Amino acid sequence: MTALDVVFALFASTAAAGALLAVTSRHVVHAALWLVLALGSLAGVYLVLAAEVVALVQVLVYVGAVVVLVLFALMLTRAPIGVRADLDAAPGRRRVAAVAGLATSALIGGTLLAAIGSTAEVPAGDGTASALGSATFTGWVLPFELLSVLLLAALVAAIAISRGRDADTPGLDDLAPGGTADRADPGAGSAAPAPAAAPAPATPAAPSRAVGPDGTS
Amino acid sequence: MSLLAQGVLAAENPVADFGNDNGWVVFGKALFIFVFLVLLTLLTIWGERRVVARMQSRPGPNRVGPFGLIQGLADGVKLALKEDVIPKAVDKLVFVLAPIISAITCFVAFSVIPFGPAARIPFTDIVTPLQLTDLPVAVLFVLAVAAVGVYGIVLAGWSSGSTYPLLGGLRSSAQVISYEIAMGLALISVFLYAGSMSTSSIVAAQEHGVVREIFGLDLTMPAWFAVQLPVAFVIYVIAMVGETNRAPFDLPEAEGELVGGFHTEYSSLKFALFFLAEYINMITVSAIATTLFLGGWRAPWPLSAIGGGMLNEGWWPMLWFIGKLLGFIFFFIWLRGTLPRLRYDQFMRFGWKVLIPVALVWIVAVACWRAANSATIAADGTTRIVLIAVGIALLFAIFGALITGIDRADRRDAARHETPPDEVDPFAGGFPVPPLPGQRLIRSNGIGNGRDDDARRPALAAAGEADEEVHGG
């Protein structure tokens, strides 16, 4: 065992423990934080394997963006602090999920062991930005582009779902924080000033009735 | 019109050599960075209060020490002596963790910032770069650390168990992640030009001006990336103000709306950590801007020519670096003294609909420009002309799309907002609202607020009932 092996084992077991805690925690925000631990340790694993770019991108994308967005959504919808009872799935489903998870791990682990063997050298210089870039844009360019199309499809689908069926329902523009369509302010983006920029969305919604004869002044 | 090659690409790896560093040197550098940042924070707080005061025609703090210099220290001691309140409703562990995350990450980012080239440590023979460390992916490291720093804000907002911090935390994190994208995109063109993500290599890449022959004249372009890549520089500077939650983008701390934002519930040293983190973040983004766009520690142009580059060696560069850094900090303070705060939706729209698209177009343009100047294409005149024509056509198409898009959005807005009624009852909704421009006020004293049972009753009778709402009037 070299020192690198020890560090690798530490990171790997932390990642596994974090992942387990993330799915067993009854506290939504804590689950998200355990996920941060799992993903961050995974970045450590990459670093031990001399893939520094991948490690940093892992931190940047997963820790810095994905889980922050998860937390963001949690804060918007389930902000109260405390344990929630309605997080658990039915026991049967939990068992099926555990089996599926174990099977996937066995499949991937088995494939790796069969393909590489129990030990493998970490090739030097494969983790640099230029090596990664040329690999991505030569041999792996088709999977890379396919993934981009997949992400694009996901984006389009998300917009389509949030827009609803017909054009009259409020769309993404109106729902998103800082949505623009409803606020009449021309803002920095547009050149032509919109007429009657409202200082606040303050137009009274209720029909303003004049004082009736039976009302006092 | 022949455009010369862009100069030899710097190596991807750092040019700084850390081979001579022993443990003591590394420790000393780390200590120096820590002390430097804390002292600079104290100075920045003092400077900010003095400068803003001068801009507002008042003296500012001038009692503690000469020119009030010790004021920051006095405030720090006062903060540390306050009672550390932990409210009952908080999630304790996360509540304590949040300021620590904030404070640690802001220090860590500074470890890859070069203060100067290799210099001899006084009274020893050790020659070492004035930089704690460097990586081939140093700038990516800074971005990753900043991304982790967001957790301090998010978790502080959430774990306080209180509404205003939650809203402040939400705003803050939305703001930081939105502007981080624009920031990262602005840096990409620097990577393209420097050929590296290591900070010392990027500084090295700004050493020599590029000689370009434009209309028969040999012009030496200044080497700073701020001049070579002006759009990226402007985007970065705007994004860095957004990223640090500073005025005019200080919406997370909008006092009138959110009390103190995400740190409303924090007191004593924990609050001091957030305060420290905010100022160090400001210093960090300024240092990155200096390193990536203003030539880092390199002396500015007329000075760099003195004595055959004498001022670019030894300990001099630290002076230029700190000078440029202070320039950015003054810029931050200036902005705060000058600009009013943006409204939240304006701010988000500006980030997503202006900064990010412009940054994307700029990256494509820079990549095309570099490709067009590469050896194979530059040699072939026809290909070049065709490419340039395509590029110009693309630009027109983009602008056309932009203008029609804005037109359509305006028309949609106009269709959606039917003209407001001529007269408005300011109390129709039960609470006072101001009239729109051109509207006439009518008073109903709360009668006619849409609730029929109330509306039919005289106000005096209604006031006598159990329903004690006061509508004013």
Side-chain angles (χ1 to χ4, degrees):
Chain A
M1 289 265 281
T2 62
L4 271 187
D5 289 343
V6 176
V7 178
F8 181 87
L10 269 180
F11 274 130
S13 47
T14 315
L20 266 182
L21 284 166
V23 289
T24 50
S25 172
R26 284 168 183 275
H27 199 309
V28 222
V29 173
H30 286 185
L33 292 180
W34 289 124
L35 197 59
V36 171
L37 185 71
L39 295 171
S41 328
L42 209 55
V45 168
Y46 292 143
L47 207 58
V48 175
L49 295 177
E52 49 198 26
V53 179
V54 181
L56 286 178
V57 169
Q58 165 89 7
V59 173
L60 202 57
V61 173
Y62 284 94
V63 177
V66 172
V67 184
V68 169
L69 280 181
V70 168
L71 279 174
F72 201 74
L74 285 180
M75 281 161 73
L76 278 176
T77 54
R78 299 178 173 201
I81 294 170
V83 174
R84 292 183 65 93
D86 57 348
L87 282 182
D88 269 336
R93 219 167 115 192
R94 262 191 288 173
R95 246 169 270 144
V96 173
V99 169
L102 283 177
T104 315
S105 322
L107 184 67
I108 294 176
T111 314
L112 274 181
L113 278 182
I116 305 175
S118 56
T119 58
E121 282 294 305
V122 177
D126 269 12
T128 62
S130 60
L132 201 70
S134 38
T136 307
F137 288 102
T138 52
W140 295 91
V141 70
L142 187 64
F144 178 76
E145 294 297 337
L146 281 179
L147 273 181
S148 323
V149 174
L150 180 69
L151 288 177
L152 183 68
L155 267 178
V156 172
I159 293 173
I161 290 171
S162 61
R163 277 197 83 89
R165 270 176 205 289
D166 50 340
D168 290 339
T169 50
L172 187 67
D173 253 8
D174 312 72
L175 297 175
T180 56
D182 263 347
R183 323 252 159 98
D185 184 83
S190 51
T203 324
S208 56
R209 257 179 281 168
V211 183
D214 50 348
T216 52
S217 61
Chain B
M1 186 169 87
S2 88
L3 292 141
L4 299 175
Q6 307 266 324
V8 185
L9 279 187
E12 188 191 343
N13 288 324
V15 292
D17 175 23
F18 297 94
N20 292 329
D21 291 11
N22 56 26
W24 287 108
V25 174
V26 172
F27 178 75
K29 284 180 184 174
L31 189 69
F32 170 81
I33 289 177
F34 181 79
V35 172
F36 173 80
L37 285 179
V38 172
L39 280 183
L40 193 56
T41 300
L42 286 179
L43 268 181
T44 305
I45 294 170
W46 171 80
E48 173 162 27
R49 295 177 68 179
R50 292 285 290 192
V51 171
V52 169
R54 180 59 62 88
M55 285 171 178
Q56 298 167 345
S57 303
R58 57 190 173 84
N62 60 359
R63 295 289 129 179
V64 194
F67 310 110
L69 261 173
I70 318 288
Q71 183 69 47
L73 204 60
D75 287 349
V77 171
K78 187 191 78 178
L79 258 183
L81 294 177
K82 293 268 179 186
E83 183 188 356
D84 193 358
V85 180
I86 297 187
K88 219 172 182 181
V90 303
D91 187 322
K92 222 170 191 173
L93 178 70
V94 181
F95 186 76
V96 175
L97 204 62
I100 298 175
I101 294 176
S102 269
I104 290 179
T105 50
C106 68
F107 278 107
V108 168
F110 232 85
S111 58
V112 293
I113 302 291
F115 285 74
R120 201 170 59 83
I121 300 177
F123 313 118
T124 61
D125 290 333
I126 302 171
V127 175
T128 179
L130 301 178
Q131 181 177 6
L132 179 58
T133 183
D134 198 2
L135 309 163
V137 284
V139 181
L140 216 52
F141 171 75
V142 173
L143 288 178
V145 168
V148 175
V150 183
Y151 279 94
I153 298 172
V154 181
L155 295 181
W158 172 79
S159 69
S160 294
S162 161
T163 310
Y164 287 129
L166 184 71
L167 290 175
L170 271 176
R171 275 192 183 188
S172 212
S173 43
Q175 171 169 344
V176 174
I177 39 186
S178 313
Y179 276 66
E180 222 166 54
I181 299 173
M183 194 181 213
L185 290 177
L187 298 184
I188 287 178
S189 52
V190 174
F191 300 157
L192 285 177
Y193 263 62
S196 171
M197 287 186 276
S198 130
T199 45
S200 59
S201 302
I202 289 174
V203 173
Q206 299 177 65
E207 183 176 2
H208 299 295
V210 183
V211 181
R212 289 242 175 83
E213 191 190 316
I214 298 174
F215 303 120
L217 283 168
D218 272 343
L219 292 175
T220 310
M221 302 278 288
W224 289 2
F225 284 142
V227 183
Q228 291 193 54
L229 307 165
V231 177
F233 179 59
V234 170
I235 292 173
Y236 178 84
V237 168
I238 296 174
M240 82 180 184
V241 180
E243 166 103 8
T244 45
N245 296 337
R246 291 278 307 183
F249 301 150
D250 55 347
L251 304 130
E253 289 170 44
E255 298 91 350
E257 303 156 33
L258 292 177
V259 192
F262 62 89
H263 53 56
T264 302
E265 301 291 345
Y266 282 87
S267 54
S268 187
L269 273 182
K270 293 202 196 68
F271 174 75
L273 283 183
F274 277 125
F275 207 69
L276 186 75
E278 183 189 328
Y279 276 86
I280 293 182
N281 270 333
M282 198 167 104
I283 299 169
T284 306
V285 290
S286 304
I288 295 168
T290 305
T291 306
L292 264 55
F293 289 103
L294 293 190
W297 44 261
R298 297 198 166 275
W301 168 64
L303 291 173
S304 58
I306 294 175
M310 176 194 84
L311 294 180
N312 268 332
E313 282 161 14
W315 289 84
W316 281 105
M318 206 174 237
L319 187 65
W320 317 133
F321 178 79
I322 293 174
K324 290 171 188 175
L325 193 61
L326 292 181
F328 270 114
I329 290 174
F330 179 78
F331 175 71
F332 268 112
I333 297 171
W334 195 4
L335 277 184
R336 184 186 153 185
T338 310
L339 294 177
R341 184 180 299 135
L342 261 74
R343 214 175 57 209
Y344 192 69
D345 62 311
Q346 295 171 333
F347 173 72
M348 279 313 217
R349 179 157 44 158
F350 180 62
W352 283 98
K353 294 197 171 174
V354 180
L355 279 190
I356 293 177
V358 170
L360 283 172
V361 170
W362 172 250
I363 291 171
V364 174
V366 166
C368 292
W369 177 253
R370 286 193 71 82
N373 284 335
S374 72
T376 44
I377 298 179
D380 185 353
T382 6
T383 320
R384 274 184 65 107
I385 291 170
V386 169
L387 279 178
I388 290 171
V390 169
I392 291 172
L394 258 180
L395 266 186
F396 274 117
I398 290 171
F399 274 116
L402 217 61
I403 289 165
T404 46
I406 289 167
D407 252 19
R408 268 179 51 195
D410 279 350
R411 248 181 285 138
R412 203 179 52 195
D413 276 0
R416 215 175 267 188
H417 293 273
E418 65 277 15
T419 43
D422 277 344
E423 39 191 39
V424 59
D425 176 4
F427 292 103
F431 53 89
V433 290
L436 291 174
Q439 273 186 323
R440 203 152 42 79
L441 280 178
I442 49 168
R443 293 260 174 123
S444 67
N445 284 359
I447 308 301
N449 57 2
R451 296 187 303 178
D452 281 331
D453 50 339
D454 250 13
R456 297 284 169 235
R457 248 177 289 158
L460 281 174
E465 300 284 336
D467 174 19
E468 295 221 327
E469 256 179 295
V470 177
H471 296 306

